[in-house]
């Protein structure tokens, strides 16, 4: 492996560019919307129990679009309830975008926001050092466990913050989609950080099964158009490849043989299908809702 390869996380600006382009090319937010509209209300129904105020914790909430969609469902379920929404997010740019979104979103009068500019592990240390005993009615960790060094320990800690009727939502890539096949195959060439970038929802299920914790699992079919990745020199294609491989400027820094191997692998049916001349990557996710 060429020493010039480095993790995409080393450059926040390029990471956000790649991530936002990926969202633009994918159905990820659409499939999350379906989950939030059709499944989440049922899961939230049992956290109320006569409560008139709720504590919510978002871990790795990014720019807040999905957070606000979930908050709106909570408000519909419990009209007039006050909501304390706490956010853990390490990116100052994303926190800024979240605040801008809140400022222009109506019907948030009963919601208070508290942003913590820190990683999940920094938040855990903060809670333990200050001996805080606050509990939460709903905690969500969406597409963020790739960026921790010990997912099991992270889940154990945040699960410990649940109130008696609280629920923990985890969303990650499926264990059977293109992400899983790509990362299980090329883990040793692409894992350029100490984080668990190859983790899938299947790994989480196995961990939860070993602990005896009760949970519900839902499949979230999702796809992304990666056609541009196969046009040499295409700037958008290069950004998408950075995100798929979590590698900074993968197209320029990867050894030619590794690049050729991965580009070929992406055309396999386990990863992509071709439709109307477009190459569609299977980015299916899974959602798990963990009981207290």
């Amino acid at each position: 492996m060429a020493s010039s390869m480095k993790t995409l996380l080393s450059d926040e600006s390029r990471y956000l560019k790649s991530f936002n382009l990926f969202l633009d090319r994918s159905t990820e937010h659409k499939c999350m919307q379906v989950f939030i509209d059709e499944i989440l209300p049922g899961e939230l129904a049992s956290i109320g129990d006569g409560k008139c105020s709720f504590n919510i914790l978002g871990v790795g909430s990014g720019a807040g679009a999905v957070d606000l969609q979930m908050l709106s469902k909570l408000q519909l379920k419990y009209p007039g309830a006050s909501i304390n929404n706490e956010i853990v997010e390490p990116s100052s740019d994303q926190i800024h975008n979240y605040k801008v979104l809140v400022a222009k979103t109506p019907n948030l009068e009963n919601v208070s926001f508290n942003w913590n500019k820190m990683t999940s592990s920094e938040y855990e240390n903060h809670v333990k050092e200050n001996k805080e005993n606050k509990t939460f009615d709903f905690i969500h960790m969406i597409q963020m466990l790739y960026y921790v060094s010990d997912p099991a320990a992270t889940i154990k800690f945040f699960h410990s913050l649940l109130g008696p009727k609280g629920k923990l939502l985890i969303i990650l890539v499926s264990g059977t989609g293109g992400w899983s096949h790509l990362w299980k195959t090329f883990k040793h060439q692409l894992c350029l950080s100490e984080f668990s970038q190859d983790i899938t929802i299947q790994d989480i299920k196995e961990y939860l099964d070993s602990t005896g914790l009760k949970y519900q699992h839902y499949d979230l079919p999702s796809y992304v158009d990666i056609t541009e990745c196969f046009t040499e020199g295409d700037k958008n294609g290069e950004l998408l490849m950075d995100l798929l491989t979590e590698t900074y400027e993968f197209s320029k820094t990867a050894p030619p043989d590794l690049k050729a191997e991965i580009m070929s692998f992406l055309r396999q049916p386990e990863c992509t299908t071709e439709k109307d001349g477009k190459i569609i990557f299977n980015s299916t996710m899974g959602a798990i809702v963990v009981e207290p």
Side-chain angles (χ1 to χ4, degrees):
M1 182 177 70
S3 60
S4 59
M5 283 179 71
K6 62 181 182 180
T7 174
L8 180 59
L9 297 174
S10 64
D11 188 305
E12 184 180 336
S13 172
R14 190 165 176 90
Y15 170 79
L16 290 176
K17 235 183 237 182
S18 300
F19 178 67
N20 288 328
L21 178 66
F22 173 84
L23 288 180
D24 186 57
R25 295 290 188 272
S26 82
T27 61
E28 181 168 312
H29 272 185
K30 284 181 185 172
C31 82
M32 279 199 198
Q33 187 69 58
V34 171
F35 172 81
I36 290 167
D37 288 344
E38 299 180 3
I39 296 168
L40 188 64
E43 291 290 354
L44 293 176
S46 60
I47 72 171
D49 197 25
K51 291 171 73 78
C52 58
S53 66
F54 295 90
N55 291 328
I56 311 298
L57 177 62
V59 188
S61 288
V66 175
D67 284 28
L68 295 192
Q69 289 170 9
M70 293 190 289
L71 285 175
S72 72
K73 296 302 174 186
L74 188 64
Q75 289 176 306
L76 279 173
K77 206 78 184 169
Y78 305 100
S82 64
I83 300 170
N84 170 46
N85 189 49
E86 192 151 336
I87 300 107
V88 175
E89 170 57 50
S91 167
S92 53
D93 284 347
Q94 293 286 64
I95 288 174
H96 169 75
N97 292 337
Y98 197 141
K99 289 179 177 178
V100 169
L101 183 61
V102 166
K104 63 184 182 184
T105 301
N107 305 319
L108 293 176
E109 297 82 9
N110 295 334
V111 185
S112 64
F113 292 86
N114 179 34
W115 286 273
N116 300 274
K117 186 186 175 301
M118 54 183 76
T119 64
S120 61
S121 59
E122 287 169 344
Y123 181 78
E124 179 176 349
N125 292 336
H126 169 78
V127 168
K128 289 177 176 176
E129 285 168 10
N130 291 281
K131 296 183 169 57
E132 295 181 4
N133 56 8
K134 183 178 180 180
T135 60
F136 295 90
D137 302 295
F138 181 51
I139 300 173
H140 51 87
M141 310 167 73
I142 298 175
Q143 296 282 52
M144 60 72 58
L145 283 172
Y146 319 110
Y147 309 116
V148 302
S149 53
D150 189 340
T154 301
I155 292 171
K156 183 178 180 181
F157 167 71
F158 283 102
H159 183 266
S160 76
L161 302 183
L162 287 177
K165 301 268 186 181
K167 294 198 174 182
L168 170 64
L169 169 65
I170 299 168
I171 295 181
L172 285 173
V173 296
S174 158
T176 58
W179 288 103
S180 175
H181 288 294
L182 178 66
W183 274 86
K184 298 300 183 192
T185 305
F186 294 98
K187 175 179 179 176
H188 297 296
Q189 295 98 315
L190 295 178
C191 247
L192 305 171
S193 73
E194 76 276 19
F195 299 133
S196 308
Q197 292 164 284
D198 62 327
I199 195 167
T200 71
I201 208 73
Q202 183 60 35
D203 299 313
I204 305 305
K205 287 172 69 176
E206 290 170 8
Y207 164 70
L208 293 172
D209 288 340
S210 75
T211 65
L213 288 171
K214 293 182 179 177
Y215 64 89
Q216 296 293 325
H217 170 255
Y218 305 94
D219 286 317
L220 309 179
S222 180
Y223 305 92
V224 56
D225 181 355
I226 63 167
T227 310
E228 293 157 302
C229 295
F230 297 90
T231 301
E232 190 70 34
D234 186 284
K235 296 301 180 190
N236 286 337
E238 289 178 357
L239 284 168
L240 289 170
M241 281 307 300
D242 283 10
L243 196 77
L244 287 171
T245 62
E246 290 282 347
T247 302
Y248 176 75
E249 295 203 338
F250 172 82
S251 300
K252 294 184 174 70
T253 62
D257 56 341
L258 176 62
K259 183 181 173 184
E261 198 177 351
I262 287 179
M263 298 309 288
S264 174
F265 187 84
L266 285 173
R267 296 304 302 269
Q268 294 187 12
E270 295 87 354
C271 291
T272 57
T273 54
E274 195 164 333
K275 185 177 181 182
D276 300 326
K278 295 186 175 184
I279 300 163
I280 308 299
F281 182 77
N282 179 354
S283 57
T284 290
M285 299 175 294
I288 282 178
V289 181
V290 191
E291 306 288 336

